[in-house]
Amino acid sequence: MTDTTIMDQKAPSPPAPENARPPILVVNDLVKHFTVKGGLFQKSAGKVLAVDGVSFELAAGETLGIVGESGCGKSTTARVLMRLMAPDSGEVTLKGRSVDAPGGITIRDMRYLLQMVFQDSYASLNPRMTIEETIAFGPRAQGVPMEEARQRARDLLGRVGLDPNLFIRRYPHELSGGQRQRVNIARALALEPEIVILDEAVSALDKSVEAQVLNLLMDLKEQLNLTYIFISHDLNVVHYVSDRVLVMYLGKVVEIGTVDEIYTDAAHPYTRALLSAMPSMDPQNRATEPPISGDPPNPIDPPSGCRFHTRCDHAEALCAKAEPSLHVVANTLHHFSACHMNIPNSGHSAAPQRSSS
Ligand code: SF4
């Protein structure tokens, strides 16, 4: 028998673990679709369901890693959270106040709480501004007096490991990639935010520089009591920095849990496939089979039911018909997976059977 009460419910935001501090950010049913135009008259040719009902909670002080293949919606989620683009629907609550809703927190005030570091360190910086002007720009725009904003820029340069006396008058083209990313981090911290979204922030760096910047980020988190959302396609890096991990596939959250639950006991077939695709340093442990079969589906017309069913080795007829919602994994409290095999009495042959009495 199908567990319709579970599958038909709108998925709640999977809660942050109880031993963590209260949620600083709650995301509920966030949706962002993009209209694709085509043909002679540029009529609507469909919609890319980039973010399609994403919900999660972020506890103060934690690092939540977000992973998934390119096009899964992780960066769009970040941009919508930052309000670099407006969501189509859904609610974002920061420190108990709804963002951009009547009586809630304004986008301007939100910038004091939430900042972002992007992957492309060069494109993120204005080539005509010195490093000091770059870091002081945000505070100046928010009304901080010039001298105080400059002093803040110098302090932050020191914090990110760049000598202010050497760097304040330089321009972005005079810096290496690692130095530019340190400036981007300093700029993100200039408004003293509590949450920083790091969107592939170390992906473009050489491995040795990447390790230095990761260690810097960990130190800053400790010193400044920061909370991170760490978006990356690199599962090794996410394992290193995260407390919890959220996995996305074609605009949906398919699994969320602690870093140990995800890396040692993943419940969703897609997460297991991603993990088995991680490069191994052990020559005896080389993958000989591709971990995921088939091409990624077209995000304009995603598969019905479970969006992973066209590539899943465990798919059954039910999977193409009914969409599984996030459901707590057996014997855990905060590990959620959106798979019919995880939902008691779902109708999948591998689902746990529970009597209703
Ligand atoms: Fe595979 Fe079905 Fe689970 Fe989707 S719901 S991951 S298709 S078994």
Side-chain angles (χ1 to χ4, degrees), residues 49-70:
L49 314 185
V51 177
D52 203 21
V54 166
S55 302
F56 63 90
E57 288 185 0
L58 183 68
E62 77 168 333
T63 297
L64 176 70
I66 302 186
V67 299
E69 293 166 296
S70 356

Side-chain angles (χ1 to χ4, degrees), residues 268-270 306 308-309 312 314-316 319 324 338-341 348:
H268 197 284
Y270 176 62
C306 171
F308 191 54
H309 84 258
C312 179
H314 306 276
E316 296 184 358
C319 302
C339 170
H340 288 305
M341 293 195 293
H348 193 288

Side-chain angles (χ1 to χ4, degrees), residues 24-25 45-46 48 55 135 144 148-149 162-163 188 201 240 264-265 269 294 307 321 328 331:
I24 190 170
L25 173 77
V48 175
S55 302
I135 301 172
V144 173
E148 192 184 327
L162 299 175
D163 182 346
Y240 176 67
T264 61
D265 212 7
R307 291 187 181 175
K321 288 191 200 126
V328 72
N331 303 320

Side-chain angles (χ1 to χ4, degrees), residues 4-253:
T4 48
T5 50
I6 289 165
M7 286 195 297
D8 293 346
Q9 280 171 4
K10 192 179 274 187
S13 297
E18 273 152 17
N19 56 2
R21 284 181 265 174
I24 190 170
L25 173 77
V26 179
V27 178
N28 237 322
D29 209 14
L30 200 64
V31 172
K32 180 68 191 178
H33 296 169
F34 297 103
T35 302
V36 180
K37 295 193 170 159
L40 189 58
F41 299 106
Q42 288 294 298
K43 286 187 179 164
S44 169
K47 283 191 170 177
V48 175
L49 314 185
V51 177
D52 203 21
V54 166
S55 302
F56 63 90
E57 288 185 0
L58 183 68
E62 77 168 333
T63 297
L64 176 70
I66 302 186
V67 299
E69 293 166 296
S70 356
C72 71
K74 51 192 192 306
S75 289
T76 307
T77 301
R79 280 164 172 73
V80 172
L81 286 179
M82 277 299 294
R83 290 302 168 101
L84 300 178
M85 51 179 75
D88 294 342
S89 62
E91 191 185 23
V92 177
T93 311
L94 256 175
K95 296 190 96 177
R97 295 170 68 198
S98 227
V99 175
D100 209 21
I105 188 168
T106 61
I107 305 244
R108 181 186 162 94
D109 286 347
M110 191 190 83
R111 301 269 183 254
Y112 284 105
L113 289 171
L114 186 62
Q115 283 289 324
M116 185 161 169
V117 178
F118 299 86
Q119 175 177 4
D120 190 336
S121 64
Y122 194 64
S124 308
L125 298 171
N126 184 333
R128 293 196 181 83
M129 286 169 91
T130 64
I131 300 310
E132 181 182 60
E133 288 165 347
T134 298
I135 301 172
F137 184 83
R140 286 289 298 134
Q142 300 281 0
V144 173
M146 174 65 93
E147 213 28 64
E148 192 184 327
R150 280 192 173 151
Q151 190 52 48
R152 206 182 281 187
R154 287 164 182 264
D155 291 347
L156 281 166
L157 272 176
R159 274 195 185 274
V160 298
L162 299 175
D163 182 346
N165 296 322
L166 288 178
F167 284 90
I168 49 168
R169 303 210 193 292
R170 292 198 190 171
Y171 287 88
H173 73 269
E174 299 174 281
L175 273 55
S176 69
Q179 289 168 340
R180 280 198 297 268
Q181 204 56 315
R182 286 172 189 264
V183 170
N184 277 313
I185 293 166
R187 182 178 59 174
L189 297 176
L191 288 176
E192 300 171 346
E194 294 183 34
I195 306 172
V196 182
I197 301 176
L198 301 149
D199 185 9
E200 302 279 7
V202 295
S203 304
L205 304 176
D206 293 342
K207 277 292 162 199
S208 61
V209 180
E210 176 188 89
Q212 290 167 15
V213 174
L214 280 175
N215 288 334
L216 168 70
L217 287 168
M218 294 297 103
D219 290 346
L220 289 170
K221 178 174 185 275
E222 202 66 29
Q223 291 162 15
L224 303 173
N225 285 326
L226 295 169
T227 303
Y228 286 157
I229 295 178
F230 191 93
I231 296 170
S232 179
H233 64 278
D234 186 334
L235 289 153
N236 283 311
V237 171
V238 169
H239 189 205
Y240 176 67
V241 300
S242 305
D243 299 304
R244 285 191 306 144
V245 178
L246 180 153
V247 185
M248 289 187 72
Y249 185 74
L250 283 181
K252 297 269 184 195
V253 177

